[in-house]
Amino acid sequence: MTALEQSRHIATAIPGPRSAALTDRKAAAVSRAVGNTMPVYAARAAGGIVEDVDGNRFIDLGSGIAVTTIGNAAPRVVEAVRAQVADFTHTCFMITPYEGYVEVAEHLNRLTPGSGEKRSALFNSGAEAVENAVKVARSYTHKTAVVAFDHAYHGRTNLTMALTAKSMPYKSGFGPFAPEVYRAPLSYPYRDGLISKELGTDGELAAERALTVIEKTVGAANLAAVIIEPVQGEGGFVVPADGFLPALVAWCRDNDVVFIADEVQTGFARTGAWFACEHEGIEPDLIVTAKGIADGLPLSAVTGRAEIMDAPHVSGLGGTYGGNPVACAAALATIETIELDGLIDRARHIEKVMKDRLGRLQAEDDRIGDVRGRGAMIAVELVRSGSADPDPALTSQLAAAAHAAGVIVLTCGTFGNVLRFLPPLTISDELLLEGLDVLAQLLADL
Ligand code: PLZ
């Protein structure tokens, strides 16, 4: 097969006839509850491009929600997966184990922040790994309560729905939710700054606000774990003020509470470090990974301090497919690719390119209330001109216009007013800038 041309190209109306036909088949065959962001069906993807079944080529600023960080169908991954599939596809690690699983665990223990002895366990999805992190924390502390934060997203299973903040579309009508989950206020510099300038910039003050709620409404004696995304993903790419996360970690250490970092979206080089916690200088007790770990094959993990990870009884953790050998082979090739191709530096470079371009746009257009994020995880918060009122209508119009013009962008945020950019690290500067220029032009037209 020829290499996928790295250029934006609109060959048909969007959607084209083949995608439109598939959309009709989907409506008749797939539950409507499973929605789609884009109106087109994928045929191939590589580098910074997704090509659809009608031959349209889109600039990929989404990476399948921060999954294909090293580029779609990355060559080393394709090769490793082919070789592993030919050897064996599954034996179940709980029955006849295999080396790939152990090797992925060794790498995770080496790469995650924290120098002490660590252990890992592998699962399939981000939500499944979050659930297991909570199980481990409860087993270790012999306590039950879990605190999550405003705007948090941790998944769609029952426990993780309870941890997730936003009702629509994730939770509405799907309760009752798991008990013993409590919510604390986040550090959200842009919006906190509207209440008080100090609260917007002082992470320790924001932590004090959160810890007061935790102490008064839950109590450390009942609290097994605090779970947080070091940069919030679905909640709006919120980067907490400096000092917020370190203060939470310090409080957890003093109170026998397990600090869980959910790095499902931020992990694996995405933010210009292996893990976003490194930017904050914190060492979580447990760290949850998924998405970018295996370039699109379903794999997730919990990694953490050995005495915590070894707390549950033998055979207390597991699952039929957890750490599937094909997914493990993909993860090993992904890690190798990040290291050999210098992709962490590439993420930092992409941050500079995006913040530069979006910063200039913000200076010209006061509907861009905030530009924020780390590495190749950058967002703009869209507001009504002359105010900080969220503008979800403008956000969805801009996203739809971008899709029609051949640029894949995603939205997020509790108020639906955040446009987020998660390009693969293998995208060229030219394509990245072209994507942002298209958006700038569309925004000016709206
Ligand atoms: N934790 C921080 O970002 C998944 C979800 C999209 P799964 N985010 C994308 C959607 O609408 O379902 C996510 C995350 C963080 C956990 C998860 C859950 O990971 O692999 O989707 O279960």
Side-chain angles (χ1 to χ4, degrees):
M1 184 168 291
T2 54
L4 181 56
E5 191 180 317
Q6 294 296 300
S7 65
R8 181 170 63 109
H9 175 67
I10 301 297
T12 66
I14 305 290
R18 290 197 166 132
S19 282
L22 282 164
T23 298
D24 288 345
R25 277 172 60 194
K26 185 218 165 196
V30 179
S31 164
R32 66 171 189 158
V34 182
N36 307 117
T37 298
M38 299 283 295
V40 298
Y41 277 72
R44 290 203 293 167
I49 292 290
V50 176
E51 187 177 58
D52 78 6
V53 289
D54 293 291
N56 298 297
R57 288 195 299 274
F58 297 82
I59 298 176
D60 184 8
L61 301 184
S63 301
I65 324 188
V67 172
T68 53
T69 305
I70 64 165
N72 224 306
R76 288 189 193 89
V77 171
V78 172
E79 203 177 304
V81 164
R82 275 209 181 102
Q84 180 58 51
V85 164
D87 283 347
F88 63 96
T89 50
H90 172 84
T91 59
C92 188
F93 190 73
M94 300 185 301
I95 308 301
T96 37
Y98 38 87
E99 184 177 356
Y101 187 119
V102 177
E103 204 178 336
V104 170
E106 287 167 349
H107 280 295
L108 286 168
N109 299 346
R110 168 176 71 86
L111 294 169
T112 47
S115 52
E117 204 174 324
K118 285 180 242 162
R119 301 278 187 275
S120 291
L122 305 185
F123 305 97
N124 301 288
S125 67
E128 191 189 0
V130 168
E131 295 239 1
N132 277 280
V134 171
K135 281 162 73 171
V136 168
R138 285 176 170 160
S139 178
Y140 176 71
T141 59
H142 303 289
K143 299 189 277 186
T144 54
V146 183
V147 161
F149 286 79
D150 286 339
H151 313 289
Y153 184 90
H154 298 291
R156 292 177 184 260
T157 58
N158 189 261
L159 174 58
T160 60
M161 266 195 297
L163 295 168
T164 291
K166 196 174 174 179
S167 176
M168 276 302 271
Y170 308 122
K171 302 168 72 166
S172 186
F174 299 142
F177 305 112
E180 287 305 304
V181 171
Y182 301 87
R183 201 163 302 286
L186 184 74
S187 167
Y188 189 155
Y190 175 60
R191 301 218 161 264
D192 286 347
L194 301 171
I195 307 167
S196 120
K197 209 165 176 178
E198 218 189 346
L199 190 57
T201 53
D202 188 334
E204 281 176 38
L205 204 64
E208 209 178 290
R209 176 177 65 172
L211 291 170
T212 302
V213 170
I214 293 171
E215 283 178 341
K216 297 301 168 202
T217 66
V218 189
N222 305 302
L223 186 57
V226 164
I227 182 164
I228 191 164
E229 304 149 82
V231 176
Q232 271 193 341
E234 305 306 304
F237 283 24
V238 181
V239 184
D242 277 350
F244 179 71
L245 291 172
L248 294 183
V249 172
W251 182 87
C252 286
R253 292 276 139 81
D254 289 347
N255 289 280
D256 184 31
V257 172
V258 174
F259 182 89
I260 305 172
D262 179 344
E263 293 238 22
V264 167
Q265 193 152 162
T266 50
F268 282 87
R270 172 58 57 189
T271 68
W274 273 104
F275 298 99
C277 283
E278 295 168 48
H279 301 294
E280 312 278 347
I282 58 167
E283 296 181 359
D285 298 313
L286 298 180
I287 181 159
V288 181
T289 50
K291 288 191 187 283
I293 189 172
D295 199 33
L297 277 90
L299 186 71
S300 63
V302 183
T303 301
R305 282 165 48 203
E307 74 267 27
I308 302 177
M309 286 299 293
D310 284 340
H313 50 273
V314 172
S315 297
L317 304 178
T320 304
Y321 296 117
N324 167 272
V326 183
C328 284
L332 295 173
T334 299
I335 291 165
E336 187 187 343
T337 299
I338 293 170
E339 289 188 322
L340 292 183
D341 294 355
L343 292 182
I344 289 176
D345 287 343
R346 180 79 197 137
R348 293 195 177 151
H349 172 77
I350 287 175
E351 170 171 353
K352 212 174 140 313
V353 171
M354 285 203 283
K355 281 195 170 160
D356 234 52
R357 182 70 187 90
L358 295 168
R360 272 188 287 127
L361 195 59
Q362 184 185 27
E364 291 158 9
D365 194 327
D366 72 349
R367 293 173 297 171
I368 297 185
D370 197 22
V371 177
R372 59 176 178 251
R374 292 192 191 280
M377 183 176 182
I378 303 293
V380 295
E381 181 158 353
L382 296 172
V383 294
R384 274 183 253 288
S385 204
S387 79
D389 299 343
D391 197 340
L394 176 67
T395 310
S396 52
Q397 276 168 25
L398 184 55
H403 300 160
V407 181
I408 300 176
V409 291
L410 313 176
T411 61
C412 64
T414 298
F415 314 109
N417 69 321
V418 179
L419 204 62
R420 58 171 155 169
F421 309 109
L422 293 159
L425 304 179
T426 47
I427 195 171
S428 67
D429 282 10
E430 292 69 32
L431 274 184
L432 181 59
L433 284 166
E434 184 182 333
L436 297 178
D437 285 345
V438 168
L439 278 161
Q441 189 53 53
L442 293 169
L443 181 63
D445 293 345
L446 277 170

